[in-house]
Amino acid sequence: MRLLHTADWHLGRSLGGHSLHEDQAELLAMQLPAIIRDTAPDAVLLAGDVFDRAVPPAESVRLLDEVLSEIVLRHGIPVIVIPGNHDEARRVGFGARLLAAARLHIVQSPCGEAIPLQGRDGSSATILACGYATPLALSREPSLAGAQFADHDGAFAALAPLLHALCPASGPRVLVAHAFVAGGAESPMSERALSVGGTGAIGADRFTGFDYVALGHLHRPQNLLGGRLRYSGSLFPYSVEEADHAKSVTLVDLAADGTRQIEEIPLSPRRGLRVLTGSFAALRETEGPAREDYVALVLTDPTPVPEAQRRLAEIFPRIVGLRYAAERAGSGAFAPAGAAARVARPLDLFGRFHAEMRGAPLPGEARPVLIAAIEAAEAAGH
């Protein structure tokens, strides 16, 4: 069984105020179909964050339609899609029951769906696709009888047996999920926090019994547990801290006994993202492809240069950030607006408020109630 695993497309994303639509279209409408022709997978797995926001631009919706139509209709390859934390699941999943007949499987439910898959070589496997599962969403599922969970780890501990119960007794099991697994390498400026108060991590041991876990959320391609858990990473470097990432999709060959071989298939964006360091005068003399890339500039001049960014934009039309090397680390313009405010998460702020007003820490039994209230407010866009 051969699977192509991808995630975190973030269609509709911009970088430093510059639309990435053309770059995403190059990767998805040109490079991805070529990879599919060359590798002939039995299915494509898209592990969430299809769009960058709940209401994506119309051009991003059209691009997704074109890409999925190319894979499913022209190449005859089934695609399994789940929403991530950036997606609005009901929008992504519109028409899912109709589309499943054409082998485009869009799974919204946090309690998952089992999709039997037959390989071209006669092999078989069960794909368990699980929509983005917050503790609040799971607590509303009838199968969990209104249970409340203190964190994502506890929620997934209750969910895992339900997922396994959907599978036949034998054969490989592949899980498609969008989550932060403890031990994964984060890119905090790119990845929206999955929780409040640091409660979003799921222990890797919760995934026992799955032969391959196709994960989305973390943008750096990486393996956990020897490759049994895998983040394929994002399509494109979506923040300056991703400038050194080698972007790829993941090809997985899964044997009947559950053993797997993993290969990274590189992606080559039409424009890169790079950090350039030098004096104002030296940067003005830059030649070559760097002038067309997205660039974050670090000026080594001892004092600020008047109108530096405007003047450098004559050389670099896609500047995504500028700071001076003499500035304190982390204080420059590379951080997106509002990043400092996100350091103190709502649960932490409320805990401090409670301690100050009541003279005692927040009671443990209050945490699930407060987390549910905060996540409900965030889901409503407040």
Side-chain angles (χ1 to χ4, degrees):
M1 178 72 63
R2 172 167 282 192
L3 305 170
L4 191 69
H5 167 201
T6 180
D8 296 281
W9 289 5
H10 288 278
L11 300 180
R13 184 86 169 218
S14 61
L15 182 60
H18 305 282
S19 170
L20 296 176
H21 178 75
E22 291 183 1
D23 304 272
Q24 292 172 328
E26 162 72 19
L27 291 167
L28 290 173
M30 301 295 291
Q31 294 188 33
L32 185 62
I35 290 171
I36 288 172
R37 286 194 299 270
D38 291 343
T39 60
D42 295 304
V44 175
L45 313 178
L46 175 49
D49 282 355
V50 180
F51 296 113
D52 191 58
R53 55 185 183 270
V55 184
E59 63 181 4
S60 298
V61 177
R62 286 194 296 270
L63 175 59
L64 180 66
D65 178 63
E66 291 169 5
V67 173
L68 295 181
S69 297
E70 170 85 7
I71 298 171
V72 176
L73 299 179
R74 182 174 179 182
H75 295 285
I77 295 173
V79 178
I80 298 168
V81 182
I82 63 169
N85 60 302
H86 280 250
D87 299 307
E88 209 294 314
R90 291 168 295 182
R91 288 190 175 93
V92 172
F94 173 78
R97 285 178 291 179
L98 294 172
L99 294 169
R103 299 199 297 172
L104 173 56
H105 303 276
I106 305 173
V107 179
Q108 304 174 58
S109 171
C111 285
E113 179 182 328
I115 301 165
L117 186 66
Q118 296 293 321
R120 299 177 188 182
D121 61 356
S123 60
S124 63
T126 300
I127 310 296
L128 286 156
C130 175
Y132 174 55
T134 66
L136 177 62
L138 287 173
S139 71
R140 293 172 172 170
E141 289 294 318
S143 55
L144 291 171
Q148 291 190 337
F149 307 104
D151 54 28
H152 284 62
D153 184 66
F156 194 83
L159 174 61
L162 302 182
L163 295 173
H164 284 297
L166 296 173
C167 293
S170 61
R173 298 180 179 187
V174 175
L175 176 65
V176 187
H178 194 86
F180 171 40
V181 179
E186 300 179 78
S187 303
M189 293 302 170
S190 301
E191 302 150 357
R192 182 184 299 166
L194 293 188
S195 66
V196 293
T199 59
I202 299 174
D205 58 332
R206 299 298 191 192
F207 297 90
T208 299
F210 299 106
D211 297 292
Y212 180 73
V213 181
L215 290 166
H217 179 57
L218 298 184
H219 288 189
R220 182 185 293 274
Q222 57 193 286
N223 290 334
L224 296 169
L225 299 184
R228 190 165 62 82
L229 280 64
R230 167 82 180 171
Y231 286 99
S232 63
S234 59
L235 282 179
F236 190 87
Y238 289 127
S239 71
V240 175
E241 64 185 339
E242 293 185 51
D244 65 339
H245 291 193
K247 298 302 183 181
S248 62
V249 294
T250 299
L251 189 67
V252 184
D253 283 301
L254 190 67
D257 62 0
T259 57
R260 71 217 143 265
Q261 292 184 338
I262 294 172
E263 180 184 358
E264 289 189 2
I265 308 293
L267 297 169
S268 302
R270 61 184 295 187
R271 287 183 283 255
L273 170 63
R274 62 179 80 200
V275 179
L276 300 179
T277 301
S279 68
F280 175 83
L283 291 172
R284 288 272 300 180
E285 298 299 319
T286 301
E287 298 289 347
R291 294 175 63 146
E292 296 303 315
D293 286 344
Y294 300 93
V295 295
L297 304 176
V298 182
L299 298 185
T300 57
D301 302 85
T303 57
V305 177
E307 298 187 303
Q309 182 156 333
R310 182 190 65 78
R311 294 162 66 188
L312 285 167
E314 298 169 0
I315 309 299
F316 306 102
R318 297 175 186 85
I319 296 176
V320 302
L322 182 147
R323 68 178 177 85
Y324 286 84
E327 292 176 347
R328 179 174 57 85
S331 65
F334 292 174
R342 289 199 299 268
V343 172
R345 293 175 175 174
L347 187 62
D348 300 325
L349 292 172
F350 191 90
R352 294 174 200 164
F353 175 76
H354 185 280
E356 187 169 322
M357 298 301 293
R358 297 293 182 89
L362 184 70
E365 61 270 21
R367 288 176 61 88
V369 178
L370 184 57
I371 288 169
I374 294 170
E375 290 186 338
E378 291 182 339
H382 300 311

